[in-house]
């Protein structure tokens, strides 16, 4: 089993991609190529982004237990690194044990391919949000960037925290909140922006004299 992965970034606390306070793990590399993707910086399989999966697990273990309700895994496209994803999820499952720490995974792959090639995900994740982002169906739906995307629940914990009948009322408000982080000259956002949010953010920054040379949605 592989011991390394290509990692875009880690972040804690994440408060807008699932239940409660979360750790975010973003894979580097994507071959889905959705038109209108806001994270084109995560597309290249950059070998300089290689890191030990054990380091990611060690990082999770450093997070305060009373500020960790779940883990959101996104990208990039996590299933583009299937061995690394399996190794990481295996480690997370062993580490969380019986604790109520849910795992929510984003994939841009469609249900047919996920069921055919990645059925094993159901053993490791509580919630799977799938299907490619479609620019012409982008709207304010809960936990998703576009209306075609599907939320599927694989566990009792997932069903308890993400009741599909009230998904919009419970998680829709998260779409109005983006966190902004700055790291060595790179400004990045955590959350799923509403249509137009990032362009508006760039305009507001320009008004305050903050120049952006490149953006992840226009690269
Ligand atoms: S939205 Fe996700 S799956 Fe689609 S191109 Fe962007 S990173 Fe890849």
């Amino acid at each position: 089993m592989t011991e390394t992965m290509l990692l875009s970034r880690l972040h804690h606390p994440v408060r807008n991609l699932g239940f409660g306070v979360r750790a975010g793990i973003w894979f580097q590399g994507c071959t889905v190529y959705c038109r209108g993707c806001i994270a084109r910086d995560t597309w290249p399989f950059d070998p300089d982004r290689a890191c030990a999966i054990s380091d990611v697990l060690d990082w999770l273990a450093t997070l305060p237990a009373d500020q960790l309700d779940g883990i959101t895994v996104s990208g990039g496209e996590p299933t583009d690194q299937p061995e690394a994803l399996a190794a990481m999820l295996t480690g997370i499952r062993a580490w969380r044990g019986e604790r109520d720490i849910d795992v929510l995974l984003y994939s841009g792959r469609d249900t047919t391919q996920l069921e055919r090639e990645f059925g094993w995900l159901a053993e490791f994740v509580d919630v799977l949000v799938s299907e490619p982002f479609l620019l012409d169906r982008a709207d304010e739906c809960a936990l998703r960037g576009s209306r075609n995307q599907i939320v599927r629940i694989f566990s009792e914990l997932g069903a308890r925290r993400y009741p599909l009948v009230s998904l919009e009322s419970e998680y829709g408000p998260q779409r109005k909140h983006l966190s902004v982080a700055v790291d060595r000259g790179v400004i990045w956002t955590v959350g799923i922006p509403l249509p137009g949010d990032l362009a508006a953010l760039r305009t507001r920054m320009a008004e305050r004299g903050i120049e952006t040379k490149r953006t992840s949605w226009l690269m």
Side-chain angles (χ1 to χ4, degrees):
M1 187 174 273
T2 185
E3 295 180 351
T4 62
M5 64 182 290
L6 298 182
L7 176 72
S8 175
R9 64 181 69 102
L10 303 171
H11 190 69
H12 175 271
V14 173
R15 301 179 191 275
N16 53 9
L17 290 170
F19 179 90
V21 184
R22 313 182 66 78
I25 301 171
W26 284 267
F27 279 67
Q28 179 71 31
C30 178
T31 59
V32 181
Y33 308 131
C34 306
R35 191 170 69 87
C37 171
I38 56 150
R40 293 184 63 172
D41 58 309
T42 65
W43 287 9
F45 291 83
D46 180 356
D48 289 342
R49 299 283 190 156
C51 82
I53 293 166
S54 60
D55 286 349
V56 175
L57 298 172
D58 288 348
W59 171 75
L60 284 175
T62 67
L63 302 177
D66 62 346
Q67 294 177 45
L68 190 61
D69 297 302
I71 300 167
T72 297
V73 180
S74 187
E77 173 52 49
T79 64
D80 272 332
Q81 300 180 60
E83 290 187 14
L85 179 60
M88 192 190 73
L89 292 175
T90 300
I92 289 175
R93 184 170 66 177
W95 164 75
R96 72 170 173 172
E98 299 303 313
R99 289 179 293 167
D100 279 356
I101 298 175
D102 74 86
V103 177
L104 186 158
L105 178 87
Y106 282 94
S107 170
R109 306 217 172 277
D110 64 34
T111 299
T112 303
Q113 185 178 10
L114 287 170
E115 289 183 346
R116 188 178 62 232
E117 299 175 25
F118 298 96
W120 51 269
L121 283 173
E123 295 176 32
F124 293 94
V125 307
D126 302 278
V127 186
L128 174 64
V129 183
S130 65
E131 317 301 315
F133 171 73
L134 295 182
L135 188 57
D136 60 1
R137 298 198 64 190
D139 71 6
E140 301 184 7
C141 48
L143 297 174
R144 296 156 293 157
S146 58
R147 183 64 64 176
N148 63 299
Q149 293 176 312
I150 298 170
V151 179
R152 277 183 293 166
I153 307 299
F154 292 134
S155 72
E156 184 276 329
L157 176 61
R160 184 159 28 102
R161 289 186 170 178
Y162 302 85
L164 294 180
V165 290
S166 56
L167 206 62
E168 296 300 331
S169 59
E170 291 198 27
Y171 291 96
Q174 288 190 350
R175 294 290 312 281
K176 295 182 170 53
H177 299 280
L178 284 182
S179 300
V180 178
V182 181
D183 181 18
R184 285 166 287 183
V186 176
I187 301 169
W188 54 282
T189 57
V190 182
I192 307 172
L194 297 170
D197 271 358
L198 294 179
L201 176 64
R202 192 182 193 192
T203 300
R204 299 268 290 275
M205 289 194 305
E207 289 168 358
R208 287 161 175 75
I210 302 170
E211 179 191 3
T212 47
K213 292 186 177 152
R214 285 192 306 167
T215 69
S216 62
W217 66 99
L218 291 174
M219 293 175 90

